[in-house]
Amino acid sequence: MSERVKSTEKTPAEDAPQPGSAQHDAAAPEARKANDAMKAAKSGAALPSLGFVGMLRWAWTQLTSMRTALFLLLLLAVAAVPGSLFPQRPANPSVVTQYIKDHPDYGKLLDSLQLYDVYSSAWFSAIYILLFISLIGCVVPRAIAHYKAMRSQPPRTPKRLSRLPEYGTLVVPADAGISASDAIEDAAALLKKRGYRVEVRHDDGARPSLGAERGFLKEVGNLVFHTSLIGVLVSVAIGGLFGYSGQRILVEGDTFVNTLVGYDQFNPGTNFQSSQLQPYSIQLDKFQATFDRESQGKYGQPIDFTADVTTRENPGAPAKKEVLKVNDPVNLGGTSIYLTGNGYAPVVTVRDGKGNIAMQGPVVAKLQGQNYYSSVVIKVPDAKPDQLGFVGFFLPTALVTDKGISFSGDPDLINPQLSLNSFYGDLGLDKGTPQNVFELDVKNLKELNSRNLKAGGITLAPGNTYTLPEGKGSITFDGVKKYVGVDIHHNPGQLSALIFALLAVAGLIVSLYVNRRRVWVRTGTHEDGRTMVEYGLLARGEDHRLAGEAATLRGLLLRKWELDADNPETAPSNSSPAGSPEPKKDQ
C-alpha cells in the first residue's frame, strides 16, 4: 500500500508578526522599503509591444475561435432579417422604385444602406466571408491535430492506475499457466476486438503493460459537422449566385419554352447568365381538379390536382408524357417545375367596329372567392377605331339570389357565365408603361356597358355573342379552358446543400453518441507464482457509460481466463489490494 504523510502548515496570519510586538516594530521599515521597491518596479515595467505580426496573430486567433464563429452565425441570421422587411430589387425592381416614392423621407436612406439589395450588399457579404474564414480557421487546425493524434501511440501507462475513475484488479492462479506476458497479450487481443487501438509495452520489464484508446470517431464527427456547415454555406452561396426562379401561367394547349421571354416573372441570381437556360419545353395537355362530393362540411373543396404535360429536353429530343401534381414536381433541364395554382380561362373572340377580329383566345381569370369565383380583365389594344377594354367576373356554376345577385354555387363547370362591363378609349399600352394584366386603368376610358348605364352589363353563356353599343364591335364567349400556375426553380447548390446537411446531422449524432476512452492494463507475477492484473479506464469528457465499459472488460477477462467471478480475489476493487503489482511507495 502506498504511504501518505500528513504535514501541518502554519497560515500566513500565524507567521506574521503581531502589531505592537518587537518583531513588528523591527520589520516595519524593511517592509515599507520592500513595498516601495515593488511599486517602483511595477511603474517602471513596460509590456513588450505586439508589433504588426503579433497583432495579426492575435486577430487571427480571435477570428478563428469557436465563439467568434457562433457569433458570426447569429449575426448572419440577424443581417438577413431586413431582406424580409423591405422589398428587394433583384426580385421586383418596380416595387422598390414605388416604395422609395411612397417613402421620400427615409426611402433613399435605406437605399444608400443597401437594404433593398441585402443579400448582395457589402456588409452582408463581409459577414458571410468572415464566417467562412472563421469556420475554416477552426476546422483545419483541429483536423491536423486530430490526424496527428490518430497517428500517435496511446499515452504511456500511468504509474498509479488506482487513481483513474474506473479501476479494478484480477488475480490469475499460478496453476492456470498464464504468465504476465501472456495475460497482457490476451488483454490486448480482447481490446482489439472491441475496437481499441492497442500498444503492448513489454519493455516495462517484469511488469508489462498496454495502452489502448478508441473513440476517435467522436472528433471525426465533430470535424464532419463543422466541415458540412461550411459546405452548406458554400452550396447556399452557389445557389444564390447562379440559380434562378420564375413563374408562368399555362392554359391547356399552351407550351412554355425555357427562354427569358417565356417567363411571366423571372428572378435571376446575382451572377446569372442567359446561357444557363436549357431550351426545354413543357406543354399543358390537360388539367383535372377533383373536388369533394361526399362530406357535407367540406363539399366542393378541392382534394386533388393533376396536370398531364408533354416535355422535351431540347427541340430535337423526343416528346415525353409526364404527370405534374402538387408537391410532386417535374424535373427538366436542371430545373424543378412545381404546380402552384389553377383556375379557369374563358375563351373569347372580340371584333372591333370594323368587324375585324381584334382579339381571340383564352383569358386567364384570377381567383377571388369560393367555388372559383374569378375576376376577368380583357384588353384589346388592336381594336379599331377605338381600343376596347372589359372587366368583370367569371362564374363556373352561376346562380342568382332572390335579390338578383349572381354567385358561383359550385367549382365545376356546370353553368358557366361571363359577366362584363365594357370600355373604349386609350388603354395606355402604346406608351410602353408596364401594366398589371389583372387590372384595367379606366381613367382614360369611357364606359359602354355597366349596370348603371342604359345598355346594362354584359352577361354571356358559352356560345353567346353580345354586340357593343355605338357600333364599337362585339364579344363572343366561345368556351372555357383550364390553366395552371407553375413555379420554376433552378438551384445548382440544392443537391450539395442536402448532402452536406445530412452529413452535418450524421456528424453531430456521431459526436454525441461516441465516447473517447482510454484503457491501461498492467500485469505482474507475485512471489507465489500468481499473475496479478490491474486495469484502469479514463474518459475524455463526460461518459456515463464508462462504468459499464469497465464491467464489460472485466467480464471478458474473467471468461478468457476462466476465473470465478465470486472469488474475493477477482471481485471489483476501487483501491490497490494487497499482493497487487501496485508499488508500495510513490515513484
Coordinates of all heavy atoms in Angstrom, one line a residue, residues 358-359 379-384 386-388 427 429-430:
A358 N -60.2 41.4 -83.5 CA -59.1 42.2 -82.8 C -58.4 41.4 -81.7 O -57.3 41.6 -81.3 CB -59.7 43.5 -82.2
M359 N -59.1 40.4 -81.2 CA -58.5 39.5 -80.1 C -59.3 38.2 -80.1 O -60.6 38.2 -80.2 CB -58.6 40.3 -78.8 CG -58.0 39.5 -77.6 SD -59.2 38.5 -76.7 CE -58.2 37.8 -75.5
K379 N -58.1 43.1 -72.4 CA -57.6 44.3 -73.0 C -57.4 44.1 -74.5 O -56.8 43.1 -74.9 CB -56.3 44.8 -72.4 CG -56.4 45.1 -70.9 CD -55.0 45.4 -70.3 CE -55.1 45.7 -68.8 NZ -53.8 46.1 -68.2
V380 N -58.0 44.9 -75.3 CA -58.0 44.7 -76.8 C -57.3 46.0 -77.4 O -58.1 46.9 -77.9 CB -59.4 44.5 -77.3 CG1 -59.3 44.0 -78.8 CG2 -60.1 43.5 -76.5
P381 N -56.0 46.1 -77.4 CA -55.4 47.3 -78.0 C -55.4 47.4 -79.5 O -55.2 48.4 -80.1 CB -53.9 47.2 -77.5 CG -53.7 45.7 -77.3 CD -55.0 45.1 -76.9
D382 N -55.7 46.3 -80.2 CA -55.7 46.3 -81.7 C -57.1 46.6 -82.3 O -57.3 46.6 -83.5 CB -55.3 44.9 -82.2 CG -53.8 44.6 -81.8 OD1 -53.1 45.5 -81.7 OD2 -53.5 43.4 -81.7
A383 N -58.1 46.9 -81.4 CA -59.4 47.2 -81.9 C -59.4 48.6 -82.6 O -58.7 49.5 -82.2 CB -60.4 47.2 -80.8
K384 N -60.2 48.7 -83.7 CA -60.3 50.0 -84.4 C -61.8 50.4 -84.5 O -62.7 49.5 -84.6 CB -59.7 49.8 -85.8 CG -58.3 49.3 -85.9 CD -57.3 50.3 -85.3 CE -55.9 49.8 -85.4 NZ -54.9 50.7 -84.8
D386 N -61.4 52.4 -81.9 CA -61.1 52.7 -80.5 C -60.6 51.4 -79.9 O -61.2 50.3 -80.1 CB -62.3 53.3 -79.8 CG -62.7 54.6 -80.3 OD1 -61.9 55.6 -80.3 OD2 -63.9 54.7 -80.8
Q387 N -59.7 51.5 -79.0 CA -59.3 50.4 -78.2 C -60.4 50.0 -77.2 O -61.1 50.9 -76.7 CB -58.0 50.7 -77.4 CG -56.8 50.9 -78.4 CD -55.5 51.2 -77.6 OE1 -55.6 51.6 -76.4 NE2 -54.4 51.0 -78.2
L388 N -60.5 48.7 -77.0 CA -61.6 48.2 -76.1 C -61.0 47.6 -74.8 O -59.9 47.0 -74.9 CB -62.4 47.2 -76.8 CG -63.2 47.7 -78.1 CD1 -63.9 46.5 -78.8 CD2 -64.2 48.8 -77.7
L427 N -56.1 52.6 -73.9 CA -55.7 51.7 -72.8 C -54.3 52.1 -72.2 O -54.0 51.6 -71.1 CB -55.6 50.3 -73.3 CG -56.9 49.7 -73.8 CD1 -56.6 48.3 -74.4 CD2 -57.9 49.6 -72.7
L429 N -51.4 51.4 -73.4 CA -50.4 50.4 -73.7 C -49.4 50.9 -74.7 O -48.2 50.3 -74.8 CB -51.0 49.1 -74.1 CG -51.9 48.4 -73.1 CD1 -52.6 47.2 -73.8 CD2 -51.2 48.0 -71.9
D430 N -49.7 51.8 -75.5 CA -48.8 52.3 -76.6 C -47.7 53.1 -76.1 O -46.7 53.3 -76.8 CB -49.6 53.1 -77.6 CG -50.7 52.3 -78.3 OD1 -50.5 51.1 -78.4 OD2 -51.7 52.9 -78.7

